[in-house]
Amino acid sequence: MSTMTDTITPGPADRGPIPLPPAAARLLVPIGAVGTIASAFMSWTWTPDFPGNLTIYGYPAGLQILALVAGALTLLYGLSLWRVKGLDRLNPAGATSPVFLVALSAFTVCWFTGIAIAVDLGGLVNLDPGAWVAMAASALPVVGALALPHPAPGTGLRGYFTKPDQPRAGTRSGLVERAVITVGTALALVVFTYGIGINDDDSETFIGFLLVLVFASWGLIHAGLVDRYSALSARHKGFAATLAFVAAVIFPFTQSDDHNANIGVNILIFATVALGLNIVVGLTGLLDLGYVAFLGVGAYAAALVSGSEYSRFSGVHFPFWAAALTGMAASLVFGVLIGAPTLRLRGDYLAIVTLGFGEIFRIAVNNLDGDSGPDITRGPNGITQIPDLSIFGFHLGDQHQIAGFTLGRFANYLFLMLIVTAIVVLVFTRAADSRIGRSWIAIREDETAATAMGINGFRVKLIAFALGASLAGLAGTVMAHVNYSVNPQPYQFAGAAPPNSAFLLAAVVLGGMGTVSGPLLGASVLYLVPEKLQFLQNYELLAFGVALILLMRFRPEGIIANRRQKLEFHETGQLDVPAQTTLSDGATVTKAGA
């Protein structure tokens, strides 16, 4: 059977906004990419005061490395336009928009760096020749891409941001597909390690990293490579999940600073709680605005039985497994107690009640200080000096030498959280694929229809509420020991450092509701960006509000979309594509092999 591919006969309206011959346009892309790569080996400024020390010839550093990577990727896509053997697989459809978006990754990072040098150091005089070469060279691929045939005639510039149709992917042997998954996982580990390793006070480099990552990823999505990789991972789900876990285990060995391992621990805690919320919001469709309270219940329960001298029960010291069960049980009980009288409500009414529960929890633990109420939580002082965990004789608070690598305290807790996250992912996937999981999805889609089909809506929703609460309690158990203390401050709807209810909900929506990897990615982004961009900490709610508005406008199903919701949000109503279509300007689109 022949493969379905698009053959487009250009008409007048198919041409890009820049009038250049097609051969010249295709030539501009690799020429500009080579110039961008060369500029990375030149000096961009005369003073080392700019972050990254961009003053050395022949040795890229900081933002120059990012420009080098973006330029190399642009070169590959530029050569793919010439159908160079092997490179044409980077852009199977031969589309224009992937080339344009990848070119933007180099353009934005080079121009951002030039502008940042001028602003930070006080004028354009601080730019060395390398910066001027980078800015000029990186503009050439963008010009060339805009001179190529228009990807979606009649749509203007918007067409360059519209994902083109892709030819049907062929099948490879299982060994080759597993090798592709391995390479993709390794690249993801390298990208994450580089991003998390950027110094917290080097916001310019992290912004450049985000620019390259966003536009390059956007280009790969338009080229169809991300969809093909997702299909491979779906076919080899167990292998892909194992590789992801192995990559996470390798991560602490790549870090010389335990602070980065601390960021990793907090991301995993945040992500694990977001996965629990995903059961309630993503699978069942219940808007819970006080979910962070269940995290607090688990953390306080674990702190009370931790053996801390500031605990109300200081003589009680449970081992970790017993403390984890205690935290889960306490959160489960609260989930049932709160859910039983409230889950008969729907929509905004349920959201208001759960928001009230979150505030009641915070106020209650703040008042259980011996003055306003019983002395249980020590009020705003919290329970401090929670001892480190010791599991099977392995003390997580000590440094350990493994294969010549020194692993600090946070690296130890990172390994523990990896196990906890793996358990939560297993519970989520098994529950979602079970009979009860299908009932949750039915309730989410149409509770009235689901009830008419015999599903006990109240019981199903209560199970989801209780299971999500218990998973949050498990993460709270570890968080109490990682932070050495618990206090009421973090357990707010918004305003405090994550995790709080607003950020947890944003992680689920941003990453993709109803998926496993979506909340993990959403939590990583929402935690890492404020951590690296310190100047955003006072405006992070504004920044994330703008980000969510843009996301709802351009990708309402989230970064990693659930297939069912993706079809709902992008319903076209056209299942059959004609073999040949004639456009209004006379151009024809032919389906080869139809």
Side-chain angles (χ1 to χ4, degrees), residues 469-497:
S470 61
L471 296 180
L474 176 60
T477 302
V478 181
M479 190 179 75
H481 291 273
V482 170
N483 295 336
Y484 286 129
S485 64
V486 290
N487 63 80
Q489 182 63 25
Y491 308 111
Q492 302 180 21
F493 171 71

Side-chain angles (χ1 to χ4, degrees), residues 325-417:
L325 291 177
T326 301
M328 293 179 66
S331 296
L332 177 66
V333 169
F334 271 84
V336 173
L337 291 177
I338 299 302
T342 61
L343 286 177
R344 300 186 188 279
L345 301 174
R346 297 185 186 182
D348 298 340
Y349 301 101
L350 177 62
I352 292 172
V353 170
T354 54
L355 176 61
F357 164 64
E359 289 301 300
I360 289 171
F361 169 77
R362 182 180 60 83
I363 295 172
V365 295
N366 201 46
N367 289 334
L368 297 179
D369 57 356
D371 295 328
S372 303
D375 185 10
I376 298 178
T377 64
R378 298 186 69 237
N381 294 322
I383 302 173
T384 57
Q385 295 189 16
I386 298 175
D388 282 307
L389 293 170
S390 182
I391 303 174
F392 300 119
F394 188 87
H395 196 268
L396 273 64
D398 298 336
Q399 289 188 348
H400 297 86
Q401 294 288 332
I402 299 179
F405 294 91
T406 301
L407 299 179
R409 176 178 182 270
F410 293 115
N412 299 330
Y413 278 103
L414 179 61
F415 291 135
L416 176 62
M417 272 308 304

Side-chain angles (χ1 to χ4, degrees), residues 110-404:
C110 290
W111 279 78
F112 166 75
T113 304
I115 295 172
I117 291 174
V119 171
D120 290 355
L121 302 181
L124 296 175
V125 69
N126 294 285
L127 297 177
D128 270 3
W132 294 108
V133 171
M135 295 168 71
S138 63
L140 295 180
V142 177
V143 173
L146 290 175
L148 292 171
H150 199 287
T155 60
L157 187 61
R158 182 168 60 87
Y160 288 91
F161 298 97
T162 302
K163 183 180 177 181
D165 294 332
Q166 298 296 326
R168 185 178 301 169
T171 57
R172 306 290 178 184
S173 66
L175 183 61
V176 171
E177 291 182 345
R178 287 182 173 87
V180 172
I181 295 173
T182 303
V183 172
T185 304
L187 287 176
L189 176 61
V190 170
V191 171
F192 180 76
T193 301
Y194 181 85
I196 204 172
I198 297 175
N199 293 331
D200 294 351
D201 56 351
D202 190 359
S203 58
E204 291 86 353
T205 301
F206 191 77
I207 292 175
F209 170 75
L210 290 180
L211 290 173
V212 173
L213 182 62
V214 168
F215 283 105
S217 301
W218 202 351
L220 295 180
I221 291 173
H222 275 228
L225 298 186
V226 173
D227 289 340
R228 296 189 177 197
Y229 184 83
S230 300
L232 291 181
S233 299
R235 283 202 293 270
H236 305 278
K237 186 180 298 184
F239 180 76
T242 302
L243 274 183
F245 184 80
V246 171
V249 171
I250 293 174
F251 167 73
F253 294 96
T254 66
Q255 303 299 310
S256 58
D257 187 357
D258 205 35
H259 172 67
N260 293 335
N262 180 28
I263 296 176
V265 172
N266 286 296
I267 288 176
L268 284 178
I269 292 174
F270 192 5
T272 302
V273 181
L275 268 176
L277 179 60
N278 201 20
I279 294 177
V280 179
V281 176
L283 293 182
T284 318
L286 304 176
L287 184 55
D288 188 348
L289 299 183
Y291 185 77
V292 74
F294 298 122
L295 175 70
V297 171
Y300 268 97
L304 289 172
V305 297
S306 65
S308 168
E309 62 178 297
Y310 292 98
S311 169
R312 178 67 174 81
F313 313 105
S314 57
V316 179
H317 188 186
F318 283 7
F320 171 68
W321 64 268
L325 291 177
T326 301
M328 293 179 66
S331 296
L332 177 66
V333 169
F334 271 84
V336 173
L337 291 177
I338 299 302
T342 61
L343 286 177
R344 300 186 188 279
L345 301 174
R346 297 185 186 182
D348 298 340
Y349 301 101
L350 177 62
I352 292 172
V353 170
T354 54
L355 176 61
F357 164 64
E359 289 301 300
I360 289 171
F361 169 77
R362 182 180 60 83
I363 295 172
V365 295
N366 201 46
N367 289 334
L368 297 179
D369 57 356
D371 295 328
S372 303
D375 185 10
I376 298 178
T377 64
R378 298 186 69 237
N381 294 322
I383 302 173
T384 57
Q385 295 189 16
I386 298 175
D388 282 307
L389 293 170
S390 182
I391 303 174
F392 300 119
F394 188 87
H395 196 268
L396 273 64
D398 298 336
Q399 289 188 348
H400 297 86
Q401 294 288 332
I402 299 179

